Amino acid sequence: MRESMMCHTGCSNVQKQYLSLSTLSSLIFITIGMASSKGGMQDVSLLEHIAKAQCLNEQDEHTLQSILSSKARNTSPAYLDSDADAELLLNIEFNQAVRVRSLVIQAQDRGPAKLRLRINCSAIDFTNFEDSEDTQVIELKADQISKDGTIKLITLHPTKFNHVNSLHILVESDHDNTRIDALDILGTLVHATKNLSGLAQQAD
């Protein structure tokens, strides 16, 4: 009788462990599924992961820092404005490698008409910008610029921005000066994607 009880207890413990492992495996896949969007992780704002940001040809009173300092999409009256002409050159460094999927640019008026993007340049300015090729060039349509709080995604190339340490954006417009009220960079952290991939492999 005692042996039967011990066997029953042991079998019960094994079943509990099996159920626990099964439940954990299911939770892993549920978590991955919830975090997935069309086969990838859900995109988030990467502004809080910016380590350094610089803009060339900005006005002293209307700087890139003024719209990025909150580490969230700017909703204050501050805005970025170009100085000598319509071009702006944004150099943004991240504190870790990221995957950039899309941009959000808000401009009430005098918004950008064209974006020329580069990644992972050690030092870049107006004098040497033409020394290397663009990672992507985007001719913007009016309905791609966000206004009045509406969010319009500017989708980037799906494979060219998978490991970004720094993002460089040459902004051009059809106006004498270019204004940007808010900028957001959407994507994922590279290590977070790898961690989820590892969990899936362990569950298999």
Side-chain angles (χ1 to χ4, degrees), residues 101-139:
R101 303 302 189 196
S102 58
L103 304 175
V104 175
I105 295 179
Q106 181 176 335
Q108 297 302 320
D109 55 36
R110 299 184 286 111
K114 183 178 182 179
L115 306 177
R116 296 176 60 187
L117 294 93
R118 309 274 175 84
I119 62 170
N120 305 334
C121 299
S122 57
I124 192 167
D125 56 32
F126 288 114
T127 63
N128 62 12
F129 193 85
E130 302 299 337
D131 294 345
S132 57
E133 294 183 1
D134 296 317
T135 307
Q136 185 176 0
V137 177
I138 302 175
E139 301 281 353

Side-chain angles (χ1 to χ4, degrees), residues 2-153:
R2 185 176 179 181
E3 290 179 356
S4 176
M5 291 178 63
M6 290 177 64
C7 180
H8 176 74
T9 302
C11 292
S12 178
N13 289 336
V14 170
Q15 289 175 343
K16 288 180 179 178
Q17 291 175 2
Y18 175 79
L19 288 173
S20 297
L21 289 172
S22 178
T23 302
L24 177 59
S25 177
S26 298
L27 286 173
I28 289 172
F29 281 108
I30 290 171
T31 302
I32 293 172
M34 292 176 64
S36 297
S37 174
K38 296 182 179 180
M41 288 184 61
Q42 183 177 1
D43 293 342
V44 298
S45 174
L46 299 172
L47 296 185
E48 65 177 297
H49 300 288
I50 293 177
K52 181 181 179 182
Q54 173 200 43
C55 182
L56 302 182
N57 193 40
E58 64 181 7
Q59 294 184 16
D60 293 338
E61 302 84 5
H62 302 290
T63 66
L64 177 61
Q65 283 294 337
S66 71
I67 65 171
L68 294 181
S69 59
S70 67
K71 299 292 185 179
R73 190 177 301 151
N74 181 49
T75 57
S76 76
Y79 61 92
L80 168 63
D81 209 342
S82 65
D83 189 15
D85 55 28
E87 289 189 333
L88 292 163
L89 180 53
L90 284 59
N91 294 310
I92 299 170
E93 298 179 15
F94 298 96
N95 57 20
Q96 57 185 295
V98 299
R99 286 185 170 91
V100 183
R101 303 302 189 196
S102 58
L103 304 175
V104 175
I105 295 179
Q106 181 176 335
Q108 297 302 320
D109 55 36
R110 299 184 286 111
K114 183 178 182 179
L115 306 177
R116 296 176 60 187
L117 294 93
R118 309 274 175 84
I119 62 170
N120 305 334
C121 299
S122 57
I124 192 167
D125 56 32
F126 288 114
T127 63
N128 62 12
F129 193 85
E130 302 299 337
D131 294 345
S132 57
E133 294 183 1
D134 296 317
T135 307
Q136 185 176 0
V137 177
I138 302 175
E139 301 281 353
L140 293 169
K141 300 177 181 178
D143 60 2
Q144 290 180 288
I145 302 297
S146 303
K147 293 184 178 181
D148 303 321
T150 59
I151 304 302
K152 305 289 183 64
L153 295 182

